[in-house]
Amino acid sequence: MATTHDSTHTAAAHVPGTMDATAQERTFVGFVRFMAWAGGLSIAVLIFLALANA
């Protein structure tokens, strides 16, 4: 099926620096925090395995 584009639709003009990015910033901070915990946990598991001669 072919899609048709409405030629009367115009996108709103974007003004740089006006977007509210608080949700993206919170998501990024949460992701970085999660990855830090995951990395620390992975290192702790590897140290435990090395000490337990697994």
Side-chain angles (χ1 to χ4, degrees):
M1 288 198 293
T3 59
T4 58
H5 296 283
D6 185 6
S7 62
T8 60
H9 174 74
T10 58
H14 173 69
V15 179
T18 59
M19 187 174 92
D20 182 21
T22 55
Q24 289 90 342
E25 291 170 359
R26 283 194 316 263
T27 302
F28 179 72
V29 168
F31 173 76
V32 170
R33 185 176 296 135
F34 172 76
M35 292 308 293
W37 276 99
L41 181 62
S42 298
I43 291 170
V45 167
L46 290 174
I47 290 171
F48 172 76
L49 289 174
L51 293 175
N53 291 327

